[in-house]
Amino acid sequence: MNTYQLQVVENTNKKEKPVKDQVPFGTTFTDHMYVLEYETEKGWYDPKIVPYGPISLDPAAMIFHYGQTVFEGMKAYHTEDGRVLLFRPEKNFERLNLSSERLSIPALDEKLALEHLTALIKLEKDWVPKTPGTSLYIRPYIISTDANLAVGPSQTYKYMVILSPVGSYFPGGLQPVVIHVEDKFTRAVKGGTGMAKTAGNYSSGYQAQANAKKEGNADVLWLDGVEKKYIEEVGSMNIFFKINGEVITPELNGSILKGITRMSIIELLDTWGIKVTEKRMSIDELYEAYDAGHVEEVFGTGTAAVISPVGELNWKGKKMIVNNHEIGELSQKIYDTITGIQTGKIEDTLGWTVEVK
Amino acid sequence: MNTYQLQVVENTNKKEKPVKDQVPFGTTFTDHMYVLEYETEKGWYDPKIVPYGPISLDPAAMIFHYGQTVFEGMKAYHTEDGRVLLFRPEKNFERLNLSSERLSIPALDEKLALEHLTALIKLEKDWVPKTPGTSLYIRPYIISTDANLAVGPSQTYKYMVILSPVGSYFPGGLQPVVIHVEDKFTRAVKGGTGMAKTAGNYSSGYQAQANAKKEGNADVLWLDGVEKKYIEEVGSMNIFFKINGEVITPELNGSILKGITRMSIIELLDTWGIKVTEKRMSIDELYEAYDAGHVEEVFGTGTAAVISPVGELNWKGKKMIVNNHEIGELSQKIYDTITGIQTGKIEDTLGWTVEVK
């Protein structure tokens, strides 16, 4: 990794920041972005913070044709005492490299990536919104840039980071959602790319999601690609169940994303003396537990929402109403604790936050 | 579809054409490209032929993050009497729209797309190479362009066509290749995007292909994603077998690409009185037939190579040598006939070619 000195080109034409902190997710971007280049012969080189603006690519750039790309999603939070915190960012860079391995993309230096991210956020500190529930969404991503239509790994890449202030995911408090259990379309399968955060995993779900929305569902619960039987993920989140006092989440099997919120909840609950059972769980098993009156809470977990309670599941015409469409006690407690740690309201005894200094 | 009048901005700074017709696949592009825009409110609009050059996109453009994109691959051929022929282009646009449906991308007007493609190729006629075996590769593709990180279908798209002169796939004549039967990684599964020509399907195969190459194989044969038992595709081609006189190809099951060369071979063989059996075929069944001495020919089919004979298969340490690593009689005859029709050497009694006039 040569030529690794970070250069900063400051934007002299700064944008106005959103007046309210309730901007739609992912549509407003800050004044600067980070760019790092890769060539096979040089490795990663030329790290730069530059004014946010369009990127210019050859129409034959591989990203447009063969989808060799990975990304991450994370957030920076403002604390009441004016600090800016990141939540376990090293886990995101670790996962980015895991995703890259699956997509035959060269690995980043995780330590340097975090250093440069910190430099970018420091420069954009005023963009981290302050209203409770808001944050600065961080999108690191790598695209393949060779102008070459031969199917195969690119020799050149761009790693970039863009930042977007985001409003509260639940401006009116946690709202349980209605979810369709998808039994036709498949998100991922063993041996595929399900465990990687790569573009193709997302658009492949649009058709199922559109169908589900037509029937009044907010999103879909994905079942495994082999038997359409085992529970995998909800929308682009991991999923947890509280059944007869036991907390259960599907085990990481190669087709489920290794969520950092998922991991944090398992660790957090451990400190509370609650064991999370990671196992293969069938949708039948869930409905049987429901019929027996044992399904107490269901919630999705991810960076965007932290916790998204599920109030209703619809599977082949069978409706499951969870906790009377209300948020469960444990869901709320996990949400309050994790967001509390993220925003510095609760002491971070687990060493999860990294201050941007 | 308003504002649908094709505009042409001619390139005044034309490139030199390759001196030899043996340029590496997909790295040289012609002087012009075609661009058509989409906005939800306007539909597809503003078709243009413009000088080939970089495209500028917001770093948050959806193509970089969620992979909502589709493409096609087709070729234009020079005939000895100076005409330029396309091979069943209407089938490519039909399939492009099928792929788009799966990826929640709005459909193109197939007739207009072909009209505008013809106009582009007419303008670039001098770029269609003339040496036997060469052609002008045509890459139509659609990318999602909203600057929006919210997961969901884009409201804006670009449909583009770029052209690339390509050398002969087999400059020294048809060469049978060595193929690894992949039993770990998965290309596609029922309910996924396997039948669509979309970016994510291609880069997801790189890791398996790299592993196979390390062991001396040219590419991989994909098995089904559920049982790793049934034969699907070879590399990015469909596959055919001649076993004990019977021609067999895997049936279209939702995870196999609906190849236009595949379809054409089935139709062509029908005119020769040879029935192609489309069926689910397991890799065990193939090896049993081999052990009984019945495997006569194996070949991949696709736009790039037309026919790519398979000389050897390697599955879990079991080596299958096909026809003594030599091209089979039927494979050669199919190759000669289809390339003959494509290049006007053989009369097109099936109405497959479209002349660019």
Side-chain angles (χ1 to χ4, degrees):
Chain A
M1 302 222 185
N2 48 0
T3 334
Y4 225 96
Q5 187 62 41
L6 180 62
Q7 281 193 296
V8 180
V9 181
E10 205 164 326
N11 192 338
T12 52
N13 187 17
K14 295 210 172 70
K15 297 178 227 180
E16 285 202 30
K17 292 176 185 66
V19 181
K20 286 187 182 181
D21 284 337
Q22 280 306 337
V23 292
F25 178 83
T27 53
T28 304
F29 299 91
T30 68
D31 292 314
H32 298 87
M33 61 186 188
Y34 174 84
V35 187
L36 179 67
E37 309 283 342
Y38 181 90
E39 282 175 29
T40 301
E41 260 130 65
K42 292 167 108 166
W44 290 104
Y45 70 100
D46 203 9
K48 275 191 298 220
I49 290 175
V50 293
Y52 185 95
I55 50 177
S56 176
L57 291 171
D58 194 283
M62 284 183 153
I63 177 64
F64 299 136
H65 304 275
Y66 306 128
Q68 197 194 11
T69 176
V70 292
F71 73 90
E72 270 301 325
M74 54 212 285
K75 284 177 171 178
Y77 305 86
H78 232 293
T79 66
E80 280 175 14
D81 59 2
R83 292 174 301 142
V84 171
L85 300 180
L86 297 172
F87 184 73
R88 313 190 83 178
E90 70 286 357
K91 297 289 178 198
N92 289 91
F93 289 117
E94 193 181 307
R95 187 173 64 183
L96 187 65
N97 274 345
L98 277 177
S99 299
S100 287
E101 190 187 356
R102 180 63 187 86
L103 272 297
S104 301
I105 293 173
L108 284 176
D109 180 324
E110 295 173 23
K111 207 171 140 266
L112 263 172
L114 179 52
E115 241 174 57
H116 290 177
L117 173 66
T118 306
L120 176 67
I121 293 170
K122 209 175 145 187
L123 184 68
E124 301 291 61
K125 215 165 171 174
D126 293 344
W127 279 95
V128 185
K130 292 181 173 123
T131 314
T134 64
S135 59
L136 184 69
Y137 183 79
I138 301 163
R139 170 56 56 91
Y141 64 109
I142 301 175
I143 56 173
S144 46
T145 53
D146 277 13
N148 187 345
L149 297 184
V151 174
S154 186
Q155 304 300 309
T156 59
Y157 299 88
K158 264 184 207 298
Y159 163 61
M160 301 183 59
V161 183
I162 56 177
L163 306 174
S164 173
V166 293
S168 175
Y169 200 86
F170 296 108
L174 289 183
Q175 290 298 331
V177 291
V178 178
I179 298 289
H180 166 77
V181 182
E182 180 60 40
D183 58 358
K184 183 180 159 209
F185 290 105
T186 306
R187 177 188 169 274
V189 71
K190 199 168 169 237
T193 59
M195 88 305 284
K197 239 178 140 62
T198 184
N201 290 347
Y202 292 78
S203 48
S204 62
Y206 291 172
Q207 215 178 354
Q209 284 158 341
N211 292 345
K213 276 174 195 167
K214 266 181 225 155
E215 289 167 16
N217 304 279
D219 213 324
V220 302
L221 175 66
W222 298 107
L223 301 178
D224 76 284
V226 172
E227 298 180 60
K228 285 271 171 282
K229 182 173 172 182
Y230 298 100
I231 294 167
E232 299 228 315
E233 297 187 24
V234 57
S236 46
M237 293 188 281
N238 293 116
I239 189 159
F240 282 73
F241 303 93
K242 183 161 170 266
I243 297 175
N244 207 14
E246 186 186 8
V247 183
I248 302 167
T249 191
E251 65 183 352
L252 300 177
N253 59 356
S255 55
I256 292 176
L257 192 77
K258 196 181 169 183
I260 290 156
T261 310
R262 175 188 181 280
M263 178 195 309
S264 304
I265 290 170
I266 293 170
E267 293 172 25
L268 179 68
L269 264 57
D270 187 56
T271 69
W272 294 350
I274 301 172
K275 188 187 160 354
V276 176
T277 307
E278 297 177 74
K279 67 169 194 177
R280 194 159 86 145
M281 184 166 130
S282 73
I283 185 75
D284 309 82
E285 201 181 329
L286 177 67
Y287 270 81
E288 278 161 29
Y290 177 69
D291 290 338
H294 292 154
V295 174
E296 295 154 2
E297 301 187 33
V298 180
F299 53 96
T301 70
T303 295
V306 182
I307 294 283
S308 176
V310 175
E312 184 180 319
L313 280 176
N314 292 297
W315 176 52
K316 292 181 175 172
K318 283 187 263 182
K319 192 186 286 292
M320 176 185 303
I321 293 172
V322 183
N323 198 33
N324 198 26
H325 282 113
E326 282 162 27
I327 174 148
E329 207 179 305
L330 183 69
S331 310
Q332 185 73 56
K333 190 178 169 194
I334 294 170
Y335 178 82
D336 291 342
T337 307
I338 293 187
T339 56
I341 293 171
Q342 286 169 335
T343 56
K345 260 178 272 177
I346 293 177
E347 197 195 345
D348 174 18
T349 55
L350 292 154
W352 283 347
T353 55
V354 173
E355 190 181 339
V356 176
K357 285 198 239 208
Chain B
M1 304 224 183
N2 46 0
T3 335
Y4 224 96
Q5 186 63 40
L6 180 61
Q7 281 192 297
V8 180
V9 181
E10 204 163 328
N11 192 336
T12 52
N13 186 18
K14 295 209 172 70
K15 297 179 226 179
E16 285 200 34
K17 292 175 185 65
V19 181
K20 285 186 183 182
D21 284 338
Q22 280 307 338
V23 292
F25 178 82
T27 52
T28 305
F29 298 91
T30 68
D31 292 314
H32 297 88
M33 61 187 188
Y34 173 84
V35 188
L36 179 67
E37 309 283 342
Y38 181 89
E39 282 176 27
T40 301
E41 259 131 65
K42 290 167 110 166
W44 291 103
Y45 71 100
D46 202 9
K48 273 190 299 221
I49 290 174
V50 294
Y52 185 94
I55 50 176
S56 176
L57 291 171
D58 194 284
M62 285 183 153
I63 177 65
F64 299 135
H65 303 276
Y66 305 128
Q68 196 193 12
T69 177
V70 292
F71 74 89
E72 270 302 324
M74 53 210 285
K75 285 178 170 177
Y77 305 86
H78 231 293
T79 65
E80 280 175 13
D81 59 1
R83 292 174 301 141
V84 171
L85 300 180
L86 297 172
F87 184 73
R88 312 188 83 178
E90 71 286 357
K91 296 290 177 196
N92 289 90
F93 289 116
E94 194 182 306
R95 187 172 64 183
L96 186 65
N97 274 344
L98 277 176
S99 298
S100 288
E101 189 187 357
R102 180 63 187 85
L103 273 297
S104 301
I105 293 173
L108 285 175
D109 180 324
E110 296 172 23
K111 207 171 140 265
L112 263 172
L114 180 52
E115 240 173 60
H116 291 176
L117 173 65
T118 307
L120 176 66
I121 293 170
K122 208 175 144 186
L123 184 68
E124 302 291 60
K125 215 166 172 174
D126 293 344
W127 279 94
V128 185
K130 291 180 175 125
T131 314
T134 65
S135 58
L136 184 70
Y137 183 78
I138 301 163
R139 170 56 56 91
Y141 64 109
I142 301 176
I143 56 173
S144 46
T145 54
D146 277 13
N148 188 343
L149 297 183
V151 174
S154 185
Q155 304 300 309
T156 59
Y157 300 88
K158 264 185 206 298
Y159 163 61
M160 301 184 57
V161 183
I162 56 177
L163 306 174
S164 173
V166 294
S168 174
Y169 200 86
F170 296 108
L174 288 182
Q175 288 298 331
V177 291
V178 178
I179 297 289
H180 167 77
V181 183
E182 180 59 42
D183 57 359
K184 183 181 158 207
F185 290 105
T186 305
R187 178 188 170 273
V189 70
K190 203 173 166 228
T193 58
M195 88 304 285
K197 241 180 139 61
T198 184
N201 290 346
Y202 293 80
S203 49
S204 62
Y206 291 173
Q207 217 178 353
Q209 283 158 342
N211 292 345
K213 276 174 195 169
K214 266 182 224 154
E215 290 168 14
N217 303 278
D219 214 324
V220 302
L221 175 66
W222 299 107
L223 300 179
D224 76 284
V226 173
E227 299 180 60
K228 285 273 172 280
K229 183 173 170 184
Y230 298 100
I231 295 167
E232 299 227 316
E233 297 187 23
V234 56
S236 47
M237 294 188 280
N238 294 115
I239 190 160
F240 282 73
F241 303 93
K242 184 161 168 266
I243 297 175
N244 207 14
E246 187 186 7
V247 182
I248 301 167
T249 191
E251 65 184 352
L252 299 177
N253 60 357
S255 55
I256 294 176
L257 191 76
K258 195 181 168 184
I260 291 157
T261 311
R262 175 188 182 279
M263 178 196 308
S264 303
I265 290 170
I266 294 171
E267 293 172 25
L268 179 67
L269 265 56
D270 188 56
T271 69
W272 295 350
I274 301 172
K275 186 186 161 355
V276 175
T277 306
E278 296 177 73
K279 67 168 194 179
R280 195 160 85 145
M281 184 166 129
S282 74
I283 185 75
D284 310 82
E285 201 181 330
L286 178 66
Y287 270 80
E288 280 161 29
Y290 177 69
D291 290 338
H294 292 155
V295 174
E296 296 155 0
E297 302 187 31
V298 180
F299 53 95
T301 70
T303 295
V306 181
I307 295 284
S308 176
V310 175
E312 185 180 317
L313 279 177
N314 292 297
W315 177 52
K316 293 181 175 171
K318 284 186 263 182
K319 192 185 286 290
M320 176 186 302
I321 293 173
V322 184
N323 198 33
N324 198 27
H325 282 113
E326 282 162 27
I327 173 149
E329 205 179 308
L330 183 69
S331 310
Q332 185 74 56
K333 190 179 168 193
I334 294 171
Y335 178 81
D336 292 342
T337 307
I338 293 187
T339 56
I341 293 171
Q342 287 169 336
T343 56
K345 261 179 271 175
I346 292 177
E347 197 197 346
D348 174 18
T349 55
L350 292 154
W352 282 347
T353 56
V354 173
E355 190 181 340
V356 176
K357 287 197 240 207

